[in-house]
Amino acid sequence: MVFASCEQPLLPDENSTGGDADGNLIVSVFQIEQQSFAVPLTRAMLTDYCSRLSMAVYDAKGSLVKQVHQSVGDASFGSAAFSLDPGTYRIVVIGHSSGNPTMTDPAKIKFDNSDGFTDTFLHSATVQISAEEEENVVQAHLKRITSLCRVVFTDAIPAGVTQMHFEYKGGSGAFDAATGLGSVNSTQKMTFAVEPGQQDCTFDLYTILRDTEGTLQLMASAQDENGNERYGRTFQVPMKQRMITRLSGPYFSGNTSVNIVIGIDAEWEGEQIVYF
């Protein structure tokens, strides 16, 4: 389980690297699609969106050739070098704030429930490496591939409840690097630590839809310190690709009315609000 406060899940630390010292291919994160920068993306700007980068190189058959994971503490964060033989390769760059994904198969790059799920950005492109001794540069333009279900409780956490556990189906924790769409019908899980008396708690649940629209079957369980359920509710949450669905209401009072309102979010492509 991933334990966290109402605002932010806690994630484990992992090793990172800057790639090959004398690489002939340089990959550098240049831009986040949601922002229009007059100059190349700076390290400070990048950390506003993600705290980790995962880069992989695949050969023409789709086999993993090279892999690099970086975190914000690395001096090389945002850029990596790869030493490659002549040939055609696919370069995949992922911006995220979770544990390192499994990248063996470019059609099924996977994040695990044990590490949690966060906002995720993708760059995927092919590059040709020639036999000549020359430096090749790839400027990665990261595009958001996640959808966000933002659960907001408008009432207080009652006595005896120390964690909120969410399970949701309908999206995916894995994606195809060629399309940015989910590639597995996953059961995703997130657990957040809470304290009795807390109000207006917000829980962000990320998923990668397998199409432009979908529905999450969301099971929300308020649990005590031993994992015993004290309150449980189930929701059908409409989702759209690269958009926020805000699911808001008094969770513990049992109100079951639902209204949907479409709004705009400057960072995302849009937001829809569902009141329960």
Side-chain angles (χ1 to χ4, degrees), residues 175-237:
F175 65 91
D176 187 335
T179 65
L181 293 174
S183 56
V184 174
N185 188 8
S186 305
T187 297
Q188 296 175 260
K189 302 177 183 180
M190 291 290 288
T191 300
F192 300 83
V194 296
E195 295 182 1
Q198 282 184 298
Q199 295 189 3
D200 299 321
C201 279
T202 299
F203 310 94
D204 283 350
L205 307 175
Y206 291 92
T207 194
I208 302 171
L209 296 182
R210 301 190 303 280
D211 204 338
T212 56
E213 296 187 16
T215 300
L216 288 188
Q217 293 79 48
L218 173 62
M219 294 171 286
S221 176
Q223 301 175 349
D224 63 21
E225 60 184 6
N226 296 317
N228 300 312
E229 184 174 273
R230 302 290 296 271
Y231 303 86
R233 297 188 66 177
T234 301
F235 304 93
Q236 300 294 314
V237 186

Side-chain angles (χ1 to χ4, degrees), residues 33-105:
E33 187 194 44
Q34 280 67 27
Q35 297 294 310
S36 298
F37 299 115
V39 296
L41 185 68
T42 68
R43 180 189 180 100
M45 291 174 181
L46 180 57
T47 56
D48 287 338
Y49 294 90
C50 58
S51 62
R52 294 175 184 265
L53 290 169
S54 297
M55 306 182 188
V57 181
Y58 303 89
D59 64 18
K61 296 181 179 180
S63 298
L64 180 64
V65 176
K66 299 274 186 176
Q67 182 174 270
V68 160
H69 297 290
Q70 300 178 341
S71 62
V72 290
D74 298 330
S76 58
F77 185 69
S79 182
F82 300 94
S83 181
L84 300 173
D85 294 331
T88 301
Y89 299 90
R90 175 173 291 277
I91 310 301
V92 174
V93 182
I94 306 169
H96 60 97
S97 300
S98 184
N100 294 335
T102 300
M103 303 182 72
T104 307
D105 183 355

Side-chain angles (χ1 to χ4, degrees), residues 24 30 45 53 76 88 95 108 112 116 118 128 142 173 177 197 220 235:
N24 56 350
F30 180 77
M45 291 174 181
L53 290 169
S76 58
T88 301
K108 194 183 296 184
D112 292 328
T118 63
Q128 183 71 38
L142 296 179
F235 304 93

